[in-house]
């Protein structure tokens, strides 16, 4: 990791297409501006992690749901009517 010290208004160049500018410093917060091509995704780490965690949680099913799916699939395999829906 490269660590740099910058003052308000100073910039960091990344490659030929990305410019990071320090806009403001207040206490322990730093506001930065990022100029990059529109095709480049720029995301906050904590948001990406929260979405990933929500996606994992959404794919997990409880034992009762899993048992119902197994019973329905077993019924389809034997030609029986699937379990009634509520």
């Amino acid at each position: 990791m490269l660590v740099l010290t910058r003052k308000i208004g100073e910039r960091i160049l990344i490659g030929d297409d990305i410019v990071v500018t320090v806009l403001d410093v207040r206490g322990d917060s730093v506001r930065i501006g990022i100029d990059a091509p529109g095709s480049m995704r720029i995301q906050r780490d904590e948001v990406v992690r929260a979405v990933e965690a929500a996606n994992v949680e959404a794919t997990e099913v409880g034992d009762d749901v899993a048992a119902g799916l197994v019973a329905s699939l077993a019924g389809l395999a034997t030609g029986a009517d699937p379990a009634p829906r509520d």
Side-chain angles (χ1 to χ4, degrees):
M1 174 188 302
L2 174 64
V3 178
L4 300 171
T5 301
R6 302 276 75 198
K7 295 178 182 177
I8 294 174
E10 293 183 330
R11 297 174 175 202
I12 299 167
L13 307 176
I14 302 174
D16 294 330
D17 298 338
I18 303 170
V19 179
V20 178
T21 305
V22 177
L23 301 175
D24 192 19
V25 179
R26 292 183 188 170
D28 62 352
S29 292
V30 177
R31 290 183 62 224
I32 59 171
I34 303 170
D35 289 320
S39 61
M40 176 144 319
R41 292 187 326 170
I42 301 172
Q43 299 175 325
R44 293 179 6 205
D45 179 64
E46 67 274 12
V47 173
V48 171
R49 290 178 187 264
V51 169
E52 288 173 351
N55 287 342
V56 168
E57 184 179 330
T59 63
E60 296 173 352
V61 296
D63 291 338
D64 57 334
V65 173
L69 287 172
V70 169
S72 293
L73 292 173
L76 290 174
T78 62
D81 289 335
R85 295 184 181 184
D86 292 334

